[in-house]
Amino acid sequence: MSALLDATDKSRRTLRVAVIAAALGVAGCFTAAFSFAGETAQAEETAPAIASVQR
């Protein structure tokens, strides 16, 4: 803990920005996961390129 007490204002500010950015990134991932969790994942149309390769 003494390393944090010896830190300068600039390094504390940098650390604070990094922690806030990481927290917002995690929150964004959870938001996206919960947004798309209720939807069904279905293709809208059959891909003709794959069908022609399989013949």
Side-chain angles (χ1 to χ4, degrees):
M1 191 66 151
S2 65
L4 185 58
L5 296 175
D6 294 337
T8 63
D9 288 338
K10 185 176 180 181
S11 62
R12 285 182 186 173
R13 190 176 326 124
T14 303
L15 179 63
R16 183 179 299 138
V17 169
V19 169
I20 291 173
L24 288 174
V26 170
C29 288
F30 277 109
T31 302
F34 287 122
S35 295
F36 296 111
E39 298 177 9
T40 58
Q42 296 179 355
E44 293 182 11
E45 60 184 44
T46 306
I50 296 174
S52 65
V53 171
Q54 291 178 346
R55 291 183 188 172

